[in-house]
Amino acid sequence: MIKAIGFIGLGFVLMELSGWLIHKYLMHGPLWMIHKTHHQPSKSFFELNDVFSILFGGIAVWLIFLGVENLDYRFWIGVGISLYGMLYFVLHDVLVHRRVRWFDSPKSGFLRGIFKAHQAHHRSRERDGAVSFGLFWVPKKYFRKEE
Ligand SMILES: [Zn+2]
Ligand SMILES: [Zn+2]
């Protein structure tokens, strides 16, 4: 059981770390053509940028598939990636971008910090010069109390 939780945590942390790297160096680099659909206003519900979510989801499904027979580490890492993906959807797509209107923008606390950090990321509509590429791993200043 401890092992399972460890690997779930590992999958989760790997997603934030690799997500940060991929976002900063690939999406705001050679893959900007795809990612820019998330930085510029669009009329449709789906963006080309959603292919990244499908890709990560696919990796999670694949790992779960490989590890399901023996419930080995691959299964649990896949579960960790899936949990991250679900949380990412709720925080990034619902809370920050309001693709579905489940709740209002957070007024205080931890969620407010996440919200402000990602809004700061979107202040840039260009490939270069954006800040705070993670979802959770963002500069501490966004979590300080607002005066
Ligand atoms: Zn971006
Ligand atoms: Zn965003």
Side-chain angles (χ1 to χ4, degrees):
M1 195 59 205
I2 295 288
K3 225 170 81 182
I5 294 169
F7 282 124
I8 291 174
L10 182 66
F12 198 95
V13 169
L14 277 177
M15 278 304 285
E16 177 72 8
L17 291 182
S18 63
W20 186 89
L21 285 169
I22 290 168
H23 189 187
K24 188 171 165 88
Y25 294 107
L26 291 177
M27 293 160 99
H28 283 257
L31 300 181
W32 174 246
M33 280 309 285
I34 299 172
H35 185 55
K36 76 172 185 193
T37 60
H38 183 58
H39 276 266
Q40 294 165 359
S42 79
K43 281 171 229 94
S44 69
F45 182 76
F46 290 105
E47 306 160 345
L48 188 57
N49 186 62
D50 292 331
V51 296
F52 291 111
S53 308
I54 295 168
L55 191 77
F56 286 124
I59 293 170
V61 170
W62 179 62
L63 283 168
I64 288 173
F65 179 76
L66 288 179
V68 72
E69 218 175 290
N70 304 310
L71 292 187
D72 61 25
Y73 69 98
R74 293 171 295 190
F75 178 82
W76 297 112
I77 291 175
V79 170
I81 294 175
S82 306
L83 283 175
Y84 183 89
M86 285 184 255
L87 202 62
Y88 192 90
F89 177 78
V90 172
L91 293 178
H92 175 262
D93 295 89
V94 181
L95 192 81
V96 180
H97 290 298
R98 310 201 71 211
R99 290 176 89 171
V100 279
R101 309 210 162 198
W102 287 346
F103 22 72
D104 291 335
S105 326
K107 299 284 177 287
S108 63
F110 176 72
L111 291 180
R112 177 86 192 150
I114 301 267
F115 184 84
K116 281 196 329 196
H118 195 67
Q119 278 201 321
H121 177 71
H122 276 281
R123 221 152 280 147
S124 166
R125 291 202 173 161
E126 303 306 321
R127 193 188 74 177
D128 303 317
V131 294
S132 86
F133 292 90
L135 182 65
F136 301 103
W137 191 22
V138 290
K140 271 201 196 72
K141 64 177 180 195
Y142 297 110
F143 296 97
R144 276 189 214 127
K145 269 219 148 52
E146 286 148 278
E147 270 92 57

